[in-house]
Amino acid sequence: MTTSREHTNREYEQELRKLREQVLRMGAKVEEIISGSIKALLERDTVLATRMIAFDRKINQMEIDIDELCMVILARRQPVASDLRFITMALKLVTDLERIGDLGVNISERVVELNDEPQLKPYVDLPRMADEVQSMLREALDAFVAGDPDRAQAVIERDKTVDAYYTQVFRELLTYMMEDTHNIYRATRLQSIAKYLERIGDHATNLAEMVVFMVKGKDIRHTGKLEGESAGG
Amino acid sequence: MKLDIRTKLVLVSLGLIAVAILVLEVAVRRQIEGDIYDSLRADLFGRLELIEHDAALHVSDMDSAGWNRWAEEFGRRSNLRVTMIGSNGVVLGDSAVDAKEVPEMENHRDRPEFAAALRGERGDSVRWSGTLQRRLFYAAIPVRAAGTGRIVGALRVAEPLDRLEFAIARFHRTLLLAAFLALGVAVVIATIAAQLMSRALRGITMAARRMSSGDLGARIRLGGDDEIGELGRTLDGLAENLSQSLAELRGERDLLGRMLESMQEGVLVLDRDLRILLINRALREMLFLGLDVVGRLPIETIRNAELQAVLDAAASQGKPASGEVEIAGLGQRRFMVHSTPLGGEPRGLVAVFVDVTEIRKLETMRKDFVANVSHELRTPIAAVRSAAETARRAIEKDPEAAVRFVDMIERNALRLQELVEDLLELSRIESKQFKPKSEPVDIVEQAEQVLAQFREAAEKKRLTMSLVAPPTRPVAHADKRAVEQVLTNLVENAVKYCRDNVSVTVRVVEREGMFRVSVEDTGPGIDPKHLPRLFERFYRADKGRSRDMGGTGLGLSIVKHLVETMGGNVSVESAPGRGTTFSFTLPAFESAVASPVPSPVPAPA
């Protein structure tokens, strides 16, 4: 009786471990898409961009697999407390990751379109914004790995920087468009890419908020702060 | 129950003493009793003989009262109890009983001693006497009628066993004393023995405990040939062997560890569950990881999809897998990862990371170079082809135009030649075979020659040229032809890109055994973002313009290589609108000759 329960526990542990591993794998894949798409943009590499677009299917499959695993664990083990938080969080996390992957693919699609034309202008803010967003995504996933709400909190604060970048890029592109109507096609594509990056930043913030929820069991969505932490600063 | 050695020893001696005393008690008591009975018996029968003689005289004429008196008389005299019975067992007289009570006494025929006496034998017996309330020794003999010898009765004497009891009591006292004495001695000896033994054992225990906690240097060093000494020596030997084999193992392990740690390639070892078992220094430094990643999954610590794919491939297929992986650490780095399943049990995976960032960068440079060369060659060739075609058509209708196109062909052919020569020159310099000559070079003389070469061109573009040099003729330790080429390239560049009232100055400065030669112009200058790449082959700050001016894109590259092979270095300073200064250094001849190996930091004068 005891051994069979222990056995079940070990299987359960195994399943949780697998879930965590798969979420991280998906995270890694999404990171790869984002960095590949940005590299394709900066180096005007159409081949790379096309390869990134093809990764979308893989990401979708990963999302389905993780969802299924979560359902199986929920149905068979009826987890409670932190395990339940972890599984429900994984369910939401993959949705965000999948969206981020989609946005990465969108960037690559715009890159393919842009590469048909000469470069509009040297990119200045866009690479910086991309760096910031990538680093936010990396930090959010690191915080998830480490179960570190402080690091997650730091990611949340950085969303403002990305928003500021977006406004700046948008304004600059607007001047290009007003200057010459021939610029509009390329400028709107660049503006879309900036928007995608900004959206990725939002999703990374979501991830970070969920990490805080998972660790502390406290919902900080829509407030963005852990209570009492602002006073402690 | 836990007993220490002393208690056990005392208990054992106690047991031994008890057994000894028990044996002694039984054996000695029996002997003492036997001895005492024998002497009593002899004594009593002796006295009986005497009394019997008297009794035999009175047998025929004595009545009951007379016997009693007689018995009392003898009893008093011999200090014994004397009893006389008739041949039918009736008591005739007894010294311990009043005459009146004698007739009421029971028949004594069945008493063992009387029974024996009535049969004509001597009889004795030890019994509890109901009459006297004590244990008595009885002895009886027959009384025979004088003359006939017929047994007419029996005579008995009895003595209390006081003597026996006294002797036995004394014996018991002695025995008890001896037992106590033995016990005391046993306790003392046991204590001493236990002390000695347990001290030795405690020593062994302590040493063994230290050994088991890892201190294999602990030794017992016990003397003595007994078992404990033997045990101590065996343990010492064991520790000796253990520490020796441990030292060997440690040495091997250290060697392997040192090898792994000092390898340039990153090594990652995963256990059966694909958790990190070992990560060497090189990989930790490459990926900015600490030792805390041991025991975690690679996906948690490195989190790279491509790397995970390579590791998974090796783990799932059980055979080596490789792949090139780009990992973002501090900057992007490319790694060639070879991952192989570990042979034997327990299973695992080993992955070797080779940093190929530089190799890939060089490959890119080489690819770019080939592309650049082809591009540079294609332009003049295309010009030659189109000019040749046009010339052929024009040769009859418009000979003058044809001449112009032939000129164009010539010009482009010349350009091609220059390009090819520059390429050859560059590859000659870059190849290891190129050895600059070591000769004294008069820098000022070289500079004057080069300036003279461009005098005409400069005048055409209204440039002023000047040379500033120290009054001492600076003599460098270099290759004359190389110095000339370097100066030519630099001055040519200045003349090429400047016009209208710009001054070009060649300045020679001596500093710490080195000459610094600069070619300065006050021309348009170069955008600072181009400066770091200016010395790369085919790099052009202004693509369209420089090609129009007939540059090959290799001049500065050649300058850099030549100066460096002569032990100097090249630098450039520029600000847009204010001019450009190219400088190079050369070792002075004196200092170079004074110290055979040209050193960048010469000894102070």
Side-chain angles (χ1 to χ4, degrees):
Chain A
M1 188 62 201
T2 335
T3 48
S4 96
R5 191 184 299 150
E6 268 170 19
H7 181 66
T8 316
N9 274 342
R10 211 163 47 232
E11 262 180 13
Y12 177 39
E13 296 276 314
Q14 200 77 15
E15 282 171 0
L16 286 177
R17 207 189 108 183
K18 193 176 162 202
L19 174 61
R20 180 183 158 84
E21 204 184 313
Q22 284 199 5
V23 169
L24 284 174
R25 269 167 197 255
M26 185 168 171
K29 203 75 200 165
V30 166
E31 277 183 281
E32 192 187 346
I33 291 184
I34 303 300
S35 66
S37 295
I38 288 163
K39 196 173 171 193
L41 167 72
L42 298 180
E43 294 179 5
R44 299 178 61 79
D45 189 338
T46 308
V47 179
L48 183 60
T50 323
R51 220 175 73 216
M52 292 303 128
I53 294 170
F55 273 159
D56 191 35
R57 279 189 26 218
K58 198 153 190 181
I59 295 280
N60 292 342
Q61 188 56 48
M62 280 174 142
E63 187 193 11
I64 293 167
D65 290 347
I66 293 173
D67 277 353
E68 202 175 290
L69 184 59
C70 286
M71 291 305 167
V72 166
I73 298 177
L74 283 174
R76 293 212 337 234
R77 312 289 181 196
Q78 280 139 25
V80 290
S82 68
D83 286 348
L84 181 61
R85 280 212 299 274
F86 172 67
I87 292 163
T88 49
M89 200 193 86
L91 276 168
K92 291 184 172 185
L93 212 98
V94 289
T95 317
D96 272 302
L97 282 176
E98 196 267 335
R99 292 265 167 80
I100 296 175
D102 281 349
L103 290 166
V105 168
N106 290 341
I107 294 177
S108 274
E109 286 165 358
R110 297 295 88 74
V111 168
V112 172
E113 290 163 8
L114 277 170
N115 283 357
D116 289 339
E117 310 253 332
Q119 192 162 350
L120 174 66
K121 63 171 201 97
Y123 305 135
V124 183
D125 282 332
L126 217 50
R128 290 190 194 144
M129 186 177 177
D131 276 351
E132 184 70 17
V133 166
Q134 270 180 283
S135 143
M136 276 173 73
L137 177 57
R138 190 157 49 237
E139 273 295 302
L141 286 170
D142 281 347
F144 169 68
V145 171
D148 185 344
D150 295 337
R151 279 171 86 172
Q153 187 67 42
V155 172
I156 296 167
E157 321 262 302
R158 283 164 69 181
D159 194 36
K160 293 191 203 88
T161 323
V162 175
D163 290 347
Y165 270 129
Y166 174 66
T167 320
Q168 202 166 313
V169 170
F170 182 66
R171 211 174 288 142
E172 193 194 352
L173 288 170
L174 218 53
T175 59
Y176 272 93
M177 289 192 262
M178 289 191 289
E179 221 168 63
D180 187 347
T181 45
H182 290 105
N183 290 342
I184 290 179
Y185 179 82
R186 287 169 291 171
T188 47
R189 259 107 203 117
L190 286 175
Q191 188 267 329
S192 298
I193 290 176
K195 186 70 199 167
Y196 299 147
L197 287 173
E198 192 265 335
R199 294 288 303 143
I200 294 172
D202 289 347
H203 284 297
T205 309
N206 278 2
L207 296 184
E209 282 170 352
M210 279 184 260
V211 171
V212 176
F213 173 65
M214 176 183 75
V215 179
K216 298 224 163 171
K218 216 174 251 179
D219 201 332
I220 59 159
R221 281 177 299 177
H222 311 301
T223 62
K225 273 234 160 62
L226 272 171
E227 280 164 38
E229 291 220 340
S230 49
Chain B
M1 192 167 65
K2 208 179 148 198
L3 293 172
D4 59 6
I5 291 177
R6 203 179 66 130
T7 319
K8 281 180 192 157
L9 278 177
V10 169
L11 282 178
V12 167
S13 358
L14 211 66
L16 280 176
I17 291 168
V19 169
I21 285 176
L22 215 70
V23 170
L24 219 61
E25 161 80 17
V26 172
V28 173
R29 191 193 181 109
R30 181 167 297 167
Q31 204 185 346
I32 288 175
E33 276 180 359
D35 284 354
I36 286 176
Y37 287 156
D38 284 350
S39 79
L40 258 179
R41 196 177 290 120
D43 180 22
L44 290 182
F45 281 119
R47 288 195 229 174
L48 270 174
E49 301 281 346
L50 290 174
I51 301 170
E52 186 263 342
H53 186 67
D54 193 70
L57 297 177
H58 299 293
V59 163
S60 50
D61 56 348
M62 193 97 83
D63 62 351
S64 178
W67 279 115
N68 216 40
R69 264 197 315 278
W70 181 84
E72 273 171 11
E73 171 74 18
F74 274 94
R76 202 179 55 248
R77 265 199 266 160
S78 62
N79 201 21
L80 297 168
R81 178 183 171 193
V82 179
T83 311
M84 178 70 195
I85 61 166
S87 58
N88 53 358
V90 174
V91 178
L92 298 177
D94 192 321
S95 63
V97 181
D98 266 4
K100 279 173 270 176
E101 288 162 15
V102 167
E104 289 151 33
M105 286 175 78
E106 57 185 308
N107 194 306
H108 274 45
R109 191 174 45 211
D110 295 334
R111 307 282 153 89
E113 67 278 3
F114 275 128
L118 289 176
R119 281 197 306 276
E121 296 161 16
R122 294 176 164 200
D124 60 71
S125 154
V126 177
R127 263 198 338 274
W128 182 259
S129 155
T131 325
L132 295 176
Q133 293 293 316
R134 56 199 302 191
R135 241 156 66 91
L136 294 175
F137 189 97
Y138 296 97
I141 53 171
V143 178
R144 295 171 194 276
T148 61
R150 194 175 54 88
I151 294 171
V152 289
L155 187 64
R156 182 185 78 172
V157 288
E159 188 174 324
L161 282 169
D162 288 352
R163 225 182 335 150
L164 175 70
E165 269 149 24
F166 180 71
I168 284 180
R170 208 173 51 185
F171 163 66
H172 275 165
R173 265 204 312 281
T174 317
L175 208 59
L176 211 65
L177 199 71
F180 273 118
L181 219 68
L183 195 67
V185 171
V187 168
V188 170
I189 289 176
T191 307
I192 292 169
Q195 208 71 41
L196 286 175
M197 207 152 86
S198 72
R199 188 186 298 158
L201 284 174
R202 259 204 303 277
I204 292 176
T205 310
M206 262 161 67
R209 207 169 277 163
R210 274 172 63 196
M211 286 174 197
S212 78
S213 65
D215 175 16
L216 286 174
R219 289 292 178 276
I220 298 153
R221 298 194 207 293
L222 216 62
D225 297 329
D226 58 359
E227 290 86 340
I228 292 179
E230 184 73 31
L231 174 65
R233 276 191 297 280
T234 311
L235 267 176
D236 279 353
L238 177 75
E240 191 70 38
N241 288 342
L242 263 179
S243 61
Q244 202 170 330
S245 23
L246 213 68
E248 279 167 21
L249 278 176
R250 204 171 281 155
E252 257 171 61
R253 190 199 60 191
D254 285 356
L255 179 66
L256 285 173
R258 283 210 317 274
M259 273 166 56
L260 279 174
E261 285 298 290
S262 45
M263 269 173 81
Q264 286 297 304
E265 291 79 16
V267 177
L268 182 73
V269 182
L270 305 181
D271 66 10
R272 200 179 36 184
D273 299 330
L274 297 183
R275 287 176 184 280
I276 296 173
L277 195 64
L278 185 149
I279 176 165
N280 77 340
R281 186 188 47 77
L283 190 58
R284 289 200 304 274
E285 282 172 7
M286 285 183 215
L287 303 180
F288 300 99
L289 295 172
L291 274 170
D292 56 339
V293 301
V294 170
R296 297 171 62 185
L297 294 169
I299 193 82
E300 286 180 337
T301 50
I302 306 170
R303 201 173 59 248
N304 182 289
E306 294 168 292
L307 171 65
Q308 195 59 41
V310 173
L311 296 177
D312 285 348
S316 61
Q317 292 163 19
K319 57 185 183 194
S322 313
E324 206 167 302
V325 168
E326 192 164 302
I327 299 176
L330 198 73
Q332 294 280 326
R333 299 207 74 82
R334 291 199 73 81
F335 294 97
M336 191 69 205
V337 181
H338 302 280
S339 100
T340 318
L342 278 181
E345 289 290 324
R347 305 176 66 78
L349 207 64
V350 60
V352 180
F353 292 62
V354 184
D355 191 339
V356 292
T357 316
E358 291 303 317
I359 296 172
R360 292 290 172 265
K361 205 186 273 175
L362 284 175
E363 275 175 6
T364 315
M365 273 172 74
R366 205 188 59 217
K367 257 186 256 165
D368 287 355
F369 176 69
V370 172
N372 280 329
V373 168
S374 323
H375 183 74
E376 294 292 329
L377 290 173
R378 199 173 54 191
T379 320
I381 287 173
V384 167
R385 264 191 65 188
S386 66
E389 267 174 37
T390 323
R392 180 170 38 197
R393 264 184 277 141
I395 206 151
E396 286 164 12
K397 296 176 200 161
D398 189 354
E400 258 178 56
V403 171
R404 249 192 2 258
F405 284 113
V406 172
D407 281 349
M408 196 173 168
I409 292 171
E410 197 184 349
R411 215 168 46 240
N412 276 296
L414 206 70
R415 210 172 117 62
L416 273 174
Q417 191 191 350
E418 271 174 22
L419 193 65
V420 170
E421 270 170 10
D422 272 359
L423 273 174
L424 287 174
E425 177 76 11
L426 192 61
S427 77
R428 191 176 66 89
I429 301 165
E430 281 190 347
S431 73
K432 295 278 181 282
Q433 282 130 25
F434 176 72
K435 288 273 186 310
K437 281 189 207 137
S438 294
E439 53 190 349
V441 180
D442 186 329
I443 299 176
V444 173
E445 190 192 321
Q446 292 295 318
E448 277 168 350
Q449 277 177 19
V450 170
L451 285 176
Q453 226 176 291
F454 288 98
R455 183 91 47 209
E456 203 184 324
E459 271 166 17
K460 229 186 260 176
K461 294 181 86 177
R462 292 180 298 282
L463 304 176
T464 55
M465 294 204 294
S466 55
L467 172 66
V468 180
T472 54
R473 293 290 255 187
V475 180
H477 182 82
D479 182 317
K480 198 182 278 178
R481 220 176 71 86
V483 172
E484 189 189 340
Q485 171 131 38
V486 168
L487 279 168
T488 306
N489 283 2
L490 291 179
V491 174
E492 190 184 7
N493 271 356
V495 171
K496 204 187 289 172
Y497 290 106
C498 300
R499 53 166 50 203
D500 296 335
N501 302 324
V502 164
S503 62
V504 177
T505 311
V506 177
R507 195 185 300 274
V508 183
V509 182
E510 184 176 1
R511 194 193 299 154
E512 291 172 350
M514 297 289 279
F515 290 114
R516 187 180 184 80
V517 186
S518 351
V519 178
E520 308 168 7
D521 68 56
T522 53
I526 305 166
D527 193 317
K529 73 178 175 188
H530 297 301
L531 293 180
R533 302 188 60 191
L534 218 50
F535 293 98
E536 281 179 23
R537 288 172 296 196
F538 295 117
Y539 189 82
R540 289 174 201 277
D542 186 341
K543 288 198 164 106
R545 211 160 70 90
S546 78
R547 207 172 286 126
D548 292 343
M549 292 182 176
T552 58
L554 294 171
L556 285 176
S557 205
I558 292 171
V559 165
K560 181 170 190 276
H561 280 285
L562 282 177
V563 170
E564 281 174 0
T565 47
M566 288 188 291
N569 57 60
V570 199
S571 60
V572 58
E573 287 164 40
S574 182
R578 278 196 285 151
T580 309
T581 303
F582 283 96
S583 315
F584 64 93
T585 58
L586 289 175
F589 187 67
E590 289 85 358
S591 69
V593 171
S595 59
V597 181
S599 80
V601 186

